[in-house]
Amino acid sequence: MTQQEKMIKHKQSINDLRYIEISNMSARAKIALQGAHVFHYERVDEKPLLWLSKKSFFEKGKAIRGGIPVCWPWFGKHPTNSELPQHGFARSSVWELLEAEEIDGHTTKVLLQLQPSAESLQLWPHKFELLLAIIVGRTLTLALTTRNCDTQPFEITAALHSYLAVENIEKVYVEGLADKSFFDKVTGENRTQQGKLTVCQEVDRVYRKVDYPLTLHDQARTLHVDAQGSSTAVVWNPWIEKCVAMADMKDDSYKTMLCIEAANAPGDACMLTPREEHTLTSVISSDQEIL
Ligand code: BG6
């Protein structure tokens, strides 16, 4: 077995869902082909940075609860048809693996592609190419490129919906959002963030004109979410009642996760003309030194 084969393992499967397992000198990651979904990322000698629900479905056609779902070509509810799937179809579609290569002993790159299918054209009648480049190293980088392959312009909204792992939600705070205006999806109001963000109830907010990076202060470490190609950030924690109501979360799951999502949420939608492309990039890192 070559060194490369040891570090990139293909065709593992949970309930028939194929995934790739990556292991290099800096980090380990797991990526499901359904959804191009990074559902595990941990740096060597550090707790996982991404949260994964112990009750997550690993089933065909159902998004994994945790990690980084790719919300595309619309974020949240469909703007005109509430029967269409929340957060689009990319997270529940099977992507094609184009490349998996070691850049060096500390860095591995994976490239996945989604193209139109009969099902996608029914949900969203546009020709596109969607690429997700994932770089697993001391930091985790995801770059989602949308290319318009159609003859007409189209508009997308999207998010790299990262679930960050925290020790105790009531003791964390997020810096970088002070004075930013946001749409509060819980109350339906537009508001302005006063100081740092703490979480002691349901939080579901779309922040505008965000200056990345955003910093999540947990008890023993500090996580950063940096982004390019995005001016909106979504922060979400379902809190007690919604968490209990979700079949794929344990009742107390809300205590150990916080989503900070680099997004092109409504208000920051991308209109692409034929052959034009847009890349939404998110970089997740930690301040904890590797031992
Ligand atoms: C967030 C949305 O991004 O995702 C929330 O702002 C939503 O409104 C949450 O509840 C989870 O969505 P889903 O479809 O994965 O349950």
Side-chain angles (χ1 to χ4, degrees), residues 166-172 217-219 254-257:
V166 300
E167 282 185 42
N168 179 351
I169 190 68
E170 295 188 59
K171 295 201 171 148
V172 308
H217 294 267
D218 194 9
Q219 278 163 281
Y254 73 95
K255 291 182 180 171
T256 52
M257 52 74 65

Side-chain angles (χ1 to χ4, degrees), residues 231-244:
S231 74
T232 41
V234 180
V235 182
W236 180 63
N237 181 290
W239 210 247
I240 302 168
E241 270 179 42
K242 286 213 171 141
C243 189
V244 169

Side-chain angles (χ1 to χ4, degrees), residues 174-222:
V174 180
E175 268 189 320
L177 294 167
D179 302 324
K180 296 294 172 195
S181 77
F182 65 88
F183 178 64
D184 189 334
K185 293 175 80 174
V186 179
T187 62
E189 292 167 334
N190 285 304
R191 297 168 52 200
T192 300
Q193 178 65 38
Q194 308 296 323
K196 62 194 184 192
L197 167 68
T198 53
V199 183
C200 54
Q201 59 188 346
E202 182 185 359
V203 169
D204 193 356
R205 300 176 176 182
V206 180
Y207 286 90
R208 308 183 181 98
K209 295 191 181 162
V210 171
D211 301 312
Y212 287 97
L214 302 178
T215 303
L216 171 62
H217 294 267
D218 194 9
Q219 278 163 281
R221 66 179 175 186
T222 304

Side-chain angles (χ1 to χ4, degrees), residues 260-278:
I260 302 183
E261 311 163 30
N264 295 122
D268 180 25
C270 295
M271 176 64 82
L272 297 178
T273 55
R275 293 185 298 283
E276 204 180 353
E277 61 180 48
H278 169 75

Side-chain angles (χ1 to χ4, degrees), residues 1-9 100-103:
M1 194 186 266
T2 67
Q3 192 66 8
Q4 174 139 347
E5 280 167 329
K6 273 190 232 157
M7 294 176 126
I8 304 171
K9 290 190 196 156
E101 64 161 327
E102 250 175 63
I103 295 175

Side-chain angles (χ1 to χ4, degrees), residues 65 75 86-87 91 161 163 185 204 234 236 246 261:
R65 177 69 63 195
F75 168 81
Q86 160 132 306
H87 292 324
R91 65 175 178 167
H161 192 307
Y163 286 75
K185 293 175 80 174
D204 193 356
V234 180
W236 180 63
M246 290 167 77
E261 311 163 30

